[in-house]
Amino acid sequence: LLSVWLSLVVEARTDDHLYWKPYLASLPQEYSLPLTCSRTEISTLPGYLRDKVDDQLDQVDRSYLRLRSHFPSLDRDRFIWGFCTVNSRAVYLQKDPRDEYSGTVTGSQGPRSRR
């Protein structure tokens, strides 16, 4: 969803988005990642990498097609740009197995922050 948000915000360019303008201006205009390579370039990758890129392209294309039904003017290249922007800045952490809490505790009073 953030990929869509970034794509749409950059395309909007209205005064309502002036708050984000410095941040958006700092983002790369394009990426040099396997996901953005041509089909010919992808075909030259070793099989184990090509399979990963193909899987990721399939996932991105499925997401794009689902969102396109809600945002008909959403451009595929802008969507991929947004996807790359978000995922190149995201930090994915696995839960530490030594942590006995999941982040919230559910009790009779509903979810609350852990201690």
Side-chain angles (χ1 to χ4, degrees):
L1 194 51
L2 287 176
S3 300
V4 172
W5 177 81
L6 282 170
S7 299
L8 295 174
V9 166
V10 170
E11 291 303 315
R13 294 188 181 108
T14 66
D15 289 342
D16 295 340
H17 297 98
L18 287 178
Y19 176 81
W20 293 103
K21 190 173 184 168
Y23 174 70
L24 294 171
S26 74
L27 297 173
Q29 295 301 307
E30 58 186 45
Y31 291 92
S32 179
L33 300 169
L35 184 62
T36 61
C37 290
S38 70
R39 183 52 52 195
T40 302
E41 293 168 319
I42 292 170
S43 71
T44 65
L45 294 171
Y48 68 96
L49 288 176
R50 187 176 51 248
D51 292 344
K52 294 285 187 186
V53 174
D54 285 339
D55 289 347
Q56 190 174 43
L57 276 170
D58 289 344
Q59 174 191 358
V60 168
D61 283 339
R62 282 192 307 271
S63 295
Y64 170 72
L65 291 173
R66 279 194 310 266
L67 291 170
R68 182 90 193 271
S69 66
H70 301 288
F71 303 99
S73 64
L74 182 62
D75 178 71
R76 182 179 181 275
D77 290 337
R78 288 311 282 175
F79 177 79
I80 290 176
W81 174 85
F83 178 87
C84 291
T85 299
V86 169
N87 285 286
S88 64
R89 282 148 181 79
V91 176
Y92 298 95
L93 301 174
Q94 291 182 349
K95 182 182 177 313
D96 186 338
R98 298 170 293 181
D99 184 2
E100 63 183 285
Y101 301 102
S102 65
T104 61
V105 178
T106 304
S108 60
Q109 298 173 346
R112 65 180 192 276
S113 296
R114 66 179 173 151
R115 301 180 235 169

mmCIF file of all heavy atoms in Angstrom, residues 2 23 83-93:
data_model
loop_
_atom_site.group_PDB
_atom_site.id
_atom_site.type_symbol
_atom_site.label_atom_id
_atom_site.label_comp_id
_atom_site.label_asym_id
_atom_site.label_seq_id
_atom_site.Cartn_x
_atom_site.Cartn_y
_atom_site.Cartn_z
ATOM 1 N N LEU A 2 1.983 1.192 0.681
ATOM 2 C CA LEU A 2 2.872 2.350 0.654
ATOM 3 C C LEU A 2 3.399 2.615 -0.746
ATOM 4 O O LEU A 2 3.630 3.765 -1.119
ATOM 5 C CB LEU A 2 4.035 2.149 1.630
ATOM 6 C CG LEU A 2 3.666 2.275 3.097
ATOM 7 C CD1 LEU A 2 4.866 1.959 3.978
ATOM 8 C CD2 LEU A 2 3.119 3.636 3.427
ATOM 9 N N TYR A 23 11.243 15.436 1.170
ATOM 10 C CA TYR A 23 11.518 14.003 1.238
ATOM 11 C C TYR A 23 11.408 13.371 -0.143
ATOM 12 O O TYR A 23 12.283 12.627 -0.580
ATOM 13 C CB TYR A 23 10.563 13.306 2.215
ATOM 14 C CG TYR A 23 10.723 11.806 2.194
ATOM 15 C CD1 TYR A 23 11.868 11.213 2.710
ATOM 16 C CD2 TYR A 23 9.742 10.989 1.643
ATOM 17 C CE1 TYR A 23 12.035 9.838 2.674
ATOM 18 C CE2 TYR A 23 9.901 9.618 1.605
ATOM 19 C CZ TYR A 23 11.042 9.045 2.121
ATOM 20 O OH TYR A 23 11.197 7.694 2.076
ATOM 21 N N PHE A 83 7.315 0.574 -5.034
ATOM 22 C CA PHE A 83 7.665 -0.686 -4.376
ATOM 23 C C PHE A 83 9.151 -0.706 -4.030
ATOM 24 O O PHE A 83 9.540 -1.039 -2.904
ATOM 25 C CB PHE A 83 7.307 -1.864 -5.286
ATOM 26 C CG PHE A 83 7.664 -3.202 -4.725
ATOM 27 C CD1 PHE A 83 6.785 -3.873 -3.907
ATOM 28 C CD2 PHE A 83 8.889 -3.790 -5.019
ATOM 29 C CE1 PHE A 83 7.119 -5.122 -3.380
ATOM 30 C CE2 PHE A 83 9.236 -5.032 -4.501
ATOM 31 C CZ PHE A 83 8.345 -5.698 -3.671
ATOM 32 N N CYS A 84 9.990 -0.334 -4.986
ATOM 33 C CA CYS A 84 11.444 -0.314 -4.753
ATOM 34 C C CYS A 84 11.814 0.726 -3.698
ATOM 35 O O CYS A 84 12.691 0.488 -2.863
ATOM 36 C CB CYS A 84 12.192 -0.035 -6.052
ATOM 37 S SG CYS A 84 12.095 -1.382 -7.243
ATOM 38 N N THR A 85 11.155 1.873 -3.735
ATOM 39 C CA THR A 85 11.440 2.929 -2.760
ATOM 40 C C THR A 85 11.131 2.458 -1.351
ATOM 41 O O THR A 85 11.952 2.584 -0.441
ATOM 42 C CB THR A 85 10.633 4.196 -3.097
ATOM 43 O OG1 THR A 85 11.020 4.649 -4.395
ATOM 44 C CG2 THR A 85 10.890 5.297 -2.088
ATOM 45 N N VAL A 86 9.953 1.889 -1.161
ATOM 46 C CA VAL A 86 9.558 1.420 0.166
ATOM 47 C C VAL A 86 10.454 0.276 0.624
ATOM 48 O O VAL A 86 10.977 0.281 1.738
ATOM 49 C CB VAL A 86 8.078 0.982 0.179
ATOM 50 C CG1 VAL A 86 7.728 0.253 1.466
ATOM 51 C CG2 VAL A 86 7.179 2.193 -0.016
ATOM 52 N N ASN A 87 10.668 -0.706 -0.231
ATOM 53 C CA ASN A 87 11.409 -1.890 0.185
ATOM 54 C C ASN A 87 12.905 -1.669 0.302
ATOM 55 O O ASN A 87 13.586 -2.428 0.989
ATOM 56 C CB ASN A 87 11.089 -3.060 -0.743
ATOM 57 C CG ASN A 87 9.723 -3.604 -0.438
ATOM 58 O OD1 ASN A 87 9.526 -4.271 0.559
ATOM 59 N ND2 ASN A 87 8.754 -3.270 -1.276
ATOM 60 N N SER A 88 13.439 -0.633 -0.321
ATOM 61 C CA SER A 88 14.860 -0.349 -0.143
ATOM 62 C C SER A 88 15.098 0.476 1.115
ATOM 63 O O SER A 88 16.236 0.695 1.509
ATOM 64 C CB SER A 88 15.429 0.381 -1.371
ATOM 65 O OG SER A 88 14.818 1.649 -1.526
ATOM 66 N N ARG A 89 14.023 0.913 1.762
ATOM 67 C CA ARG A 89 14.147 1.699 2.980
ATOM 68 C C ARG A 89 13.535 1.006 4.191
ATOM 69 O O ARG A 89 13.573 1.517 5.291
ATOM 70 C CB ARG A 89 13.476 3.058 2.787
ATOM 71 C CG ARG A 89 14.360 3.976 2.000
ATOM 72 C CD ARG A 89 13.605 4.947 1.144
ATOM 73 N NE ARG A 89 14.557 5.774 0.413
ATOM 74 C CZ ARG A 89 15.207 5.392 -0.667
ATOM 75 N NH1 ARG A 89 15.030 4.178 -1.135
ATOM 76 N NH2 ARG A 89 16.068 6.184 -1.261
ATOM 77 N N ALA A 90 12.959 -0.150 3.998
ATOM 78 C CA ALA A 90 12.300 -0.873 5.083
ATOM 79 C C ALA A 90 13.298 -1.766 5.811
ATOM 80 O O ALA A 90 14.255 -2.257 5.224
ATOM 81 C CB ALA A 90 11.159 -1.718 4.527
ATOM 82 N N VAL A 91 13.061 -1.953 7.078
ATOM 83 C CA VAL A 91 13.864 -2.863 7.884
ATOM 84 C C VAL A 91 12.937 -3.970 8.347
ATOM 85 O O VAL A 91 11.904 -3.711 8.969
ATOM 86 C CB VAL A 91 14.465 -2.139 9.116
ATOM 87 C CG1 VAL A 91 15.217 -3.112 10.002
ATOM 88 C CG2 VAL A 91 15.357 -0.998 8.666
ATOM 89 N N TYR A 92 13.266 -5.190 7.983
ATOM 90 C CA TYR A 92 12.461 -6.337 8.372
ATOM 91 C C TYR A 92 13.177 -7.074 9.493
ATOM 92 O O TYR A 92 14.317 -7.474 9.345
ATOM 93 C CB TYR A 92 12.243 -7.272 7.180
ATOM 94 C CG TYR A 92 11.494 -6.606 6.059
ATOM 95 C CD1 TYR A 92 12.156 -6.013 4.994
ATOM 96 C CD2 TYR A 92 10.108 -6.547 6.086
ATOM 97 C CE1 TYR A 92 11.461 -5.393 3.978
ATOM 98 C CE2 TYR A 92 9.402 -5.929 5.078
ATOM 99 C CZ TYR A 92 10.091 -5.360 4.021
ATOM 100 O OH TYR A 92 9.398 -4.739 3.026
ATOM 101 N N LEU A 93 12.480 -7.218 10.606
ATOM 102 C CA LEU A 93 13.055 -7.900 11.755
ATOM 103 C C LEU A 93 12.206 -9.115 12.105
ATOM 104 O O LEU A 93 10.983 -9.057 12.062
ATOM 105 C CB LEU A 93 13.096 -6.957 12.968
ATOM 106 C CG LEU A 93 13.887 -5.667 12.797
ATOM 107 C CD1 LEU A 93 13.696 -4.782 14.023
ATOM 108 C CD2 LEU A 93 15.354 -5.961 12.584
#
